[in-house]
Amino acid sequence: MVSSDAPARSSWSGKWGFILAAAASAVGLGNVWRFPYLAAKYGGGAFLLVYVILVVTFGFTLMMAETALGRKTGQSAIGAFSSFGKKYAFIGVLASLVPFIITPYYCIIGGWVTKYMVAYIAEPAADLGVSTYFTSFIVNNNETYLWLVVFLMLTFFVVALGVQRGIERVNKVLMVALIVMSVGLSIYSATLPGGLDGLAYYLIPDFSKMSVELVVAAMGQMFFSLSLAMGIMITYGSYFQKDHDLEASVRHIEIFDTGIAILAGFMIIPAAFSVTGSADAVAAKAGPGLMFGVLPQVFQNLGIAGNIIGFIFFALVFFAALTSSISLFETCVSIVCDKFDITRKMAIIIAAAVIFVVGIFVNMGYNNLLWMDPMYSLFGFGTYQGSQLLDFFDFISNTVLMPIVALLTCLFVGYIIKPKILIEEVKQSSPFHAEKLFVVMVKYIAPVFMVVILVSYILNAAGIINL
Ligand code: TRP
C-alpha cells in the first residue's frame, strides 16, 4: 500500500528551494531558443495566446498531478505509478524514456551555444553575422562533434562531482543576470528599424494563423519547457515537504518559466524583423537558426560592442542550457540507478555512455547521415522536408511520447486512483483553489484534447488529412 509519509527522503529547504530548483531546470534552451522560433514560425501572437492558455490549464493540471503524485508516494516516476499496482509501472517507464531521447540532442544544441560563446571572444562579430556562418558550421563540419563532446563532458563532470548546491547558487545569480540582460536587449531590439513591426507581430494575435499544427506545437513546447510528462516533476514532488503550499509553488514555476520564454521572444522576434524585413521572411527563417543565424546579424554591425553583447548573450544561454542538461542527465542517472539497482557511479558511467553514443549518432544527421531526412522519408511529412535526426528526436519526444504520457497520466489520475486522492494530498498543506479546474481538466478536457491531437497527427502522417 502507499504510505502517505515519505520515509527519510531528502527534501527541499522549503517552498522557495523547490521553486528555485524546478525553475533552474525548467528555464533552459526551451525558453530562450525553442520558444521564440516556434512563436515566429506559428504566427507570433496567435502562438503566444494559445501557449499561455495551455500553460494555465493543461500545464497547471499536469504539474499539479505529477508533483502531488510524487509527494503522496515519496517515489520517482516508475515507483510512484507502480505503488498503485505493478501493471501501472509502464507509464513510468514510458515517461523515463523521454529524458534519454532529449538529453543527446539537447547537448548538441548546448554545443552550438558553447561554440558561439567562444567565437564571440575569438572572432570579429562581423564574421559571425555572415548569413552562411551557422549552416556551414553545423552541416558537414566535424567541428560540431568537438563542441558536443565539450558540452557532454561538462555535463557529466558536474553530475559526477555532485556539486548541485554550487550550481544552484551560481544559477541564482545567472538567472537575475539573464532577466536584466533580456530586458536590456528587448528594449534595444524594439528600437531597431522594423523592430516595432516585429513587436506587433509578436503581440497581436492573427487568428487566421490558427491551426491544429500550431496547437500541437504549442503543446509540445509546453511539456518540454515545463519539463512535464517525463517523470521529473514526480521526483521533484517527492522531495517536497508536506506542509508547503503545492499549488502556489506550481503557479510560481509556471509564471517564472513562461515569463522568461516570453521575454526571450521580445528579445529575438523584433530583432529578427529588423534583419529580415517581414513576418513571412521571419517565419521562413524561423527554426533552430533563428538564434544562431539571425541574432548574430544584429550584433554584426556593432563592432566591438557586438562582440561583448554577443558573448554575454551566449554565455547566459550557455548557463541556462548547462543547468538544464545537468538535471536532464541527473534524471537519466537516477532512472538507471533505480531500475537496475546499481551504484550511482556505475549508473553515471552507463547513462553517460548511452547519451554519448546517441548524441554522436544524432549529430551525424548533419554529416554522413544528412541524406536521411527522417521526418519526410519515414512519415512523409511534407512540411518537414529537409529535416535531420535532431528534428526527428525532438518530434518523437515532444509530439509523440509526451502527449501519450500526459494522456496516460490524466487517465490514471482521473479514473484509476481518482482525483480525490491527489486533492487530499494538496489540501494537507493548503486550500486547493483551482480544485474544480483540476478535476474537469484531468478527467474530461485533457484526455479528449490529447486524443484529438494524437489522432490528427497520425492521420496527417498517413496522408488522410492535411494539417
Ligand atoms: N525544460 C528545459 C528547457 O526548457 C528542458 C528540459 C526538458 C529539462 N526536460 C527536462 C530540464 C528535465 C531538466 C530536466 O530547456
Side-chain angles (χ1 to χ4, degrees):
M1 239 356 260
V2 182
S3 77
S4 58
D5 285 323
R9 211 168 154 80
S10 53
S11 49
W12 306 111
S13 49
K15 192 179 102 179
W16 285 101
F18 168 70
I19 294 169
L20 220 112
S25 85
V27 174
L29 289 169
N31 307 63
V32 287
W33 165 73
R34 208 166 179 278
F35 181 86
Y37 93 65
L38 287 175
K41 185 169 163 190
Y42 290 104
F47 182 86
L48 192 62
L49 184 71
V50 170
Y51 185 81
V52 170
I53 292 172
L54 287 180
V55 167
V56 297
T57 53
F58 275 67
F60 171 76
T61 304
L62 262 169
M63 201 182 272
M64 283 308 287
E66 292 193 17
T67 46
L69 201 59
R71 192 171 79 168
K72 165 111 199 120
T73 59
Q75 311 225 18
S76 48
I78 302 180
F81 284 104
S82 65
S83 66
F84 293 95
K86 281 266 169 290
K87 58 178 179 291
Y88 304 119
F90 80 98
I91 307 176
V93 173
L94 270 186
S96 304
L97 277 178
V98 179
F100 280 95
I101 299 175
I102 292 182
T103 314
Y105 80 75
Y106 202 87
C107 289
I108 291 178
I109 302 158
W112 298 348
V113 174
T114 318
K115 150 84 184 180
Y116 270 70
M117 178 177 75
V118 173
Y120 272 103
I121 305 175
E123 294 172 45
D127 292 359
L128 281 147
V130 176
S131 64
T132 52
Y133 190 94
F134 177 63
T135 28
S136 56
F137 162 57
I138 61 163
V139 177
N140 282 322
N141 187 340
N142 292 332
E143 206 190 321
T144 49
Y145 290 100
L146 172 77
W147 296 106
L148 165 63
V149 171
V150 168
F151 195 82
L152 279 174
M153 288 306 156
L154 280 170
T155 305
F156 297 160
F157 182 68
V158 175
V159 172
L161 275 184
V163 289
Q164 257 181 326
R165 273 160 203 265
I167 277 283
E168 259 162 38
R169 233 169 268 151
V170 172
N171 207 41
K172 225 183 285 178
V173 177
L174 285 165
M175 287 293 181
V176 176
L178 178 76
I179 295 170
V180 173
M181 266 294 296
S182 310
V183 171
L185 272 184
S186 301
I187 295 169
Y188 174 71
S189 185
T191 60
L192 292 167
L196 289 179
D197 293 335
L199 259 189
Y201 175 71
Y202 184 44
L203 292 178
I204 302 167
D206 170 1
F207 292 103
S208 69
K209 295 271 169 51
M210 280 303 175
S211 66
V212 179
E213 210 182 335
L214 182 153
V215 181
V216 176
M219 185 87 120
Q221 170 62 13
M222 182 201 75
F223 289 139
F224 186 87
S225 192
L226 293 174
S227 315
L228 293 173
M230 61 178 80
I232 178 86
M233 292 315 291
I234 300 183
T235 310
Y236 277 18
S238 74
Y239 303 146
F240 199 58
Q241 282 150 3
K242 292 282 182 192
D243 53 347
H244 289 299
D245 187 335
L246 207 51
E247 187 182 23
S249 305
V250 164
R251 286 282 184 221
H252 285 308
I253 297 167
E254 285 178 340
I255 292 170
F256 202 74
D257 189 66
T258 309
I260 300 220
I262 293 175
L263 204 51
F266 273 115
M267 184 162 58
I268 293 179
I269 294 176
F273 253 74
S274 80
V275 174
T276 57
S278 76
D280 292 339
V282 172
K285 274 195 161 282
L290 190 65
M291 185 164 97
F292 298 100
V294 177
L295 269 197
Q297 288 184 43
V298 180
F299 303 147
Q300 183 179 27
N301 304 321
L302 304 176
I304 188 73
N307 276 84
I308 296 170
I309 298 177
F311 172 75
I312 295 173
F313 175 78
F314 281 102
L316 288 165
V317 180
F318 170 75
F319 279 107
L322 189 63
T323 50
S324 288
S325 77
I326 287 164
S327 46
L328 267 166
F329 183 59
E330 178 74 51
T331 313
C332 298
V333 170
S334 67
I335 290 164
V336 174
C337 230
D338 288 353
K339 186 84 195 115
F340 301 107
D341 204 15
I342 49 178
T343 62
R344 186 179 154 81
K345 204 169 159 196
M346 267 313 283
I348 290 181
I349 295 171
I350 294 173
V354 172
I355 304 290
F356 186 86
V357 171
V358 179
I360 296 287
F361 174 67
V362 175
N363 202 44
M364 282 168 74
Y366 290 103
N367 291 274
N368 321 42
L369 301 178
L370 196 61
W371 51 269
M372 275 179 112
D373 200 352
M375 302 289 288
Y376 184 59
S377 47
L378 284 180
F379 296 118
F381 285 176
T383 46
Y384 281 99
Q385 197 160 9
S387 67
Q388 274 82 42
L389 279 171
L390 192 148
D391 306 289
F392 179 62
F393 271 58
D394 187 68
F395 175 82
I396 292 294
S397 54
N398 294 304
T399 315
V400 182
L401 268 179
M402 286 154 107
I404 291 176
V405 172
L407 171 65
L408 292 172
T409 307
C410 289
L411 293 178
F412 177 77
V413 172
Y415 299 96
I416 292 168
I417 63 172
K418 303 281 179 344
K420 197 161 158 267
I421 197 167
L422 295 185
I423 290 168
E424 276 165 11
E425 177 61 40
V426 175
K427 283 187 174 165
Q428 276 204 20
S429 44
S430 53
F432 192 169
H433 302 287
E435 183 179 329
K436 287 216 173 63
L437 172 78
F438 178 75
V439 176
V440 173
M441 284 299 298
V442 89
K443 286 186 85 153
Y444 310 110
I445 303 181
V448 171
F449 196 75
M450 238 98 68
V451 168
V452 169
I453 281 184
L454 274 167
V455 170
S456 54
Y457 240 76
I458 293 164
L459 292 179
N460 182 58
I464 297 168
I465 59 167
N466 211 346
L467 291 180

